[in-house]
Amino acid sequence: MSALCNRLLIVAALLGGLSGVDFPRLVAQQSRYDVVIAGGTVIDGTGKPGIRADLAIKDGRIVQLGAVARGQAAETIDARGLVVAPGFIDVHTHADDIASHPSASNFVRMGVTTVVAGNCGGSALDVGEALAKIRETRVAINYATLIGHNAVRRAVMGSADRLPTPSEMARMKSYVWKAMADGAVGFSTGLQYVPGTYAKAPEIIDLARVAANAGGIYASHMRNEGTELEQAIAETIRVGETTGARVEISHLKVDSPSRWGASEKALAMIDAARAKGIDVAADQYAYTAASSTLGIRFPAWALEGGEQKIAERLNDPATWQRIKKEMAGLLAERGLPDLSFAKVASYAADKTLNGLSMKQVATRMKAADSADAQFEAAREMMLAGGASMVYHFMSDEDVARIMRHPKVSFASDSGVLEYGDGVPHPRGYGNTARVLGEYVRTRHVISLEEAIRKMTSLPAEQFRLVNRGIIRPGYAGDLVIFDPARVADTAWWS
Ligand SMILES: [Zn+2]
């Protein structure tokens, strides 16, 4: 794996989901152990019930589990009354720019010690170079990455809306091959984004096969998560069936009110594929809102060819009318009357709009809050560089049903955040703590042991992150300590 940092990382999430952090610890050489964590309830990540035990760590590895004699460690942490779990593993992140924010504090504060970046088709094109830079920077958490289809396709074909030629296909394959050789853990797609959305299944299969042959996983932000959810899942499963790749359905959800309840069908499709021997799993974040670009609301054909061409279309009255009609039509199919389910997360051109709903934005920009005014405001924002958005369009029943599935892990879908920058989706600060507080302690949707398994050994196994995700001698000493009675997420929408 491309874990770059073997330093001992212990996260103590004791208060309100916000943790005290200790890394790296400087320890005396002469002690038998570097750290002993004494008297906690060890929940080992396999799903087994917790046991009262001490843990001894040396050189970043767990060396003993059970009773450990006192006075043998450079440092002893009293964990009585607290849970000691493997550090959380977040396999769906956009932490690609971690070298610019090496403390990765939003992840550390929610107990995450390992992230997988390069999701939704977006990654560095030169994975070897990116990993070298991260290694040099000495970031605070373990980092692995996928190679993203959109990065590869853009490098070879720009944002062209067509099939690749044979020589373009060969070049794309060689990019994927090189990334895998350089340490990528798999291949990701973002089939709702430009340019990945222009790719058909055979292209994806051919590229995923290159990653699969090198032992990589196929992780997909699918083509559709609502009106055509079943077709999208079938396409994703087909990639695994054809190439032999393990498959991860990214941020599994039902994103259209008209399809609420379809999670039952989605999970049944996963079970049916698994019964046929196709290794399909999924991840989710524990919220009923998503976060994505503003552009994702526009028809794919309108985004082809780069900024200039997009602006030409939006500025041509007849073309804009056509775009607007399609946008409204796509929303209507999904049971959404307008854009009021959308809030601005980050709009560089006017930060005072951050946190406002599109209804409020339309009132501000167009002195009206009708659906039409909202579309006009969205057009203006696209012309000014686009925005990242939060979309409230899921049902809690679907979120909870997906959560109960044994092959669904928890992942934040977040990047590395700087506190105070924009109004991002709270999942980037609170995802794991929300699971433990809201879904485990308050609502009993899943047990504590199961929640921890879904943040540790399950994602480690799916992504082949060796010797992580379980508390066991020989495994990495990545640990999180928290109070199960108090852990909670404090990040929320404004
Ligand atoms: Zn995505």
Side-chain angles (χ1 to χ4, degrees):
M1 66 169 286
S2 359
L4 299 174
C5 162
N6 255 341
R7 271 172 293 157
L8 173 61
L9 176 58
I10 296 176
V11 177
L14 299 174
L15 292 170
L18 295 179
S19 56
V21 181
D22 297 291
F23 61 88
R25 286 171 184 277
L26 297 173
V27 289
Q29 290 300 316
Q30 62 271 28
S31 300
R32 182 159 178 208
Y33 305 123
D34 296 333
V35 179
V36 165
I37 300 169
T41 299
V42 173
I43 298 182
D44 70 1
T46 64
K48 280 193 262 175
I51 51 162
R52 275 286 294 277
D54 305 328
L55 259 186
I57 293 140
K58 179 77 176 169
D59 298 331
R61 300 263 149 207
I62 297 166
V63 292
Q64 201 177 331
L65 171 63
V68 178
R70 297 294 179 264
Q72 299 190 80
E75 178 170 11
T76 299
I77 297 172
D78 181 0
R80 281 174 298 176
L82 305 174
V83 165
V84 183
F88 300 147
I89 295 172
D90 191 336
V91 291
H92 190 91
T93 80
H94 296 283
D96 302 79
D97 65 341
I98 194 168
S100 313
H101 312 273
S103 66
S105 62
N106 61 304
F107 286 106
V108 172
R109 282 166 187 270
M110 59 175 160
V112 170
T113 54
T114 299
V115 293
V116 177
N119 277 287
C120 304
S123 75
L125 184 63
D126 188 336
V127 162
E129 185 185 69
L131 291 176
K133 191 175 170 205
I134 292 165
R135 196 177 284 120
E136 221 168 84
T137 312
R138 295 180 63 77
V139 301
I141 55 178
N142 304 306
Y143 177 94
T145 187
L146 300 151
I147 175 71
H149 173 234
N150 288 352
V152 167
R153 199 182 213 266
R154 192 175 294 111
V156 173
M157 301 175 62
S159 65
D161 180 3
R162 60 172 172 79
L163 298 179
T165 64
S167 86
E168 286 169 339
M169 198 60 223
R171 285 179 61 208
M172 288 198 281
K173 280 189 196 172
S174 73
Y175 274 121
V176 175
W177 183 87
K178 175 155 190 311
M180 293 304 297
D182 284 346
V185 293
F187 172 67
S188 80
T189 51
L191 300 176
Q192 281 189 301
Y193 296 117
V194 171
T197 190
Y198 305 132
K200 303 282 185 276
E203 171 183 333
I204 296 157
I205 286 170
D206 275 1
L207 295 174
R209 184 179 287 112
V210 176
N213 288 345
I217 195 169
Y218 172 59
S220 183
H221 173 146
M222 301 187 296
R223 213 176 276 283
N224 190 287
E225 299 180 314
T227 49
E228 292 168 28
L229 177 65
E230 290 86 345
Q231 293 93 312
I233 292 176
E235 181 185 25
T236 311
I237 289 172
R238 190 180 147 205
V239 176
E241 186 168 28
T242 317
T243 65
R246 302 185 309 287
V247 172
E248 179 85 355
I249 297 175
S250 299
H251 43 59
L252 180 59
K253 66 170 85 67
V254 181
D255 75 359
S256 305
S258 65
R259 295 301 323 278
W260 284 355
S263 55
E264 201 169 341
K265 186 81 194 296
L267 295 170
M269 290 179 76
I270 292 173
D271 289 336
R274 294 190 63 81
K276 281 168 65 182
I278 308 161
D279 190 351
V280 186
D283 51 69
Q284 77 168 158
Y285 44 84
Y287 298 82
T288 54
S291 184
S292 187
T293 59
L294 178 61
I296 205 169
R297 299 277 71 85
F298 288 68
W301 62 264
L303 304 176
E304 189 264 337
E307 257 174 61
Q308 181 83 31
K309 283 181 106 177
I310 297 169
E312 278 169 24
R313 291 185 196 106
L314 295 175
N315 283 322
D316 175 64
T319 312
W320 166 237
Q321 288 309 313
R322 196 180 140 209
I323 292 170
K324 189 161 63 170
K325 210 173 152 209
E326 277 194 36
M327 288 170 75
L330 288 170
L331 290 179
E333 256 176 58
R334 298 176 55 185
L336 297 160
D338 55 24
L339 286 170
S340 55
F341 68 100
K343 277 186 172 181
V344 182
S346 178
Y347 178 50
D350 181 358
K351 290 183 178 177
T352 67
L353 299 186
N354 293 348
L356 299 188
S357 74
M358 281 307 289
K359 231 176 189 173
Q360 293 168 309
V361 170
T363 305
R364 185 89 82 79
M365 282 185 170
K366 304 288 167 191
D369 68 0
S370 63
D372 190 70
Q374 294 171 39
F375 289 128
E376 292 294 334
R379 170 187 168 274
E380 207 161 291
M381 290 168 74
M382 277 302 280
L383 284 168
S388 81
M389 307 292 291
V390 167
Y391 294 123
H392 294 262
F393 49 28
M394 292 174 235
S395 85
D396 194 64
E397 287 70 30
D398 283 319
V399 170
R401 184 181 293 122
I402 291 168
M403 193 176 288
R404 285 188 204 100
H405 193 280
K407 287 290 172 181
V408 175
S409 59
F410 293 112
S412 69
D413 201 1
S414 179
V416 186
L417 303 173
E418 278 301 327
Y419 188 73
D421 187 9
V423 186
H425 193 302
R427 66 194 181 190
Y429 289 98
N431 189 49
T432 59
R434 179 163 171 74
V435 170
L436 297 171
E438 175 72 12
Y439 289 94
V440 171
R441 186 180 61 235
T442 306
R443 290 169 48 186
H444 309 289
V445 172
I446 51 172
S447 70
L448 178 58
E449 290 81 0
E450 180 67 354
I452 290 173
R453 185 185 71 82
K454 286 161 158 280
M455 298 175 187
T456 57
S457 72
L458 175 63
E461 186 191 326
Q462 287 306 122
F463 281 71
R464 301 291 190 264
L465 307 177
V466 179
N467 289 338
R468 289 180 201 276
I470 298 178
I471 294 183
R472 187 176 284 167
Y475 275 59
D478 302 341
L479 299 160
V480 57
I481 305 170
F482 63 91
D483 182 346
R486 295 174 66 198
V487 63
D489 60 310
T490 53
W492 203 246
W493 289 282
S494 50

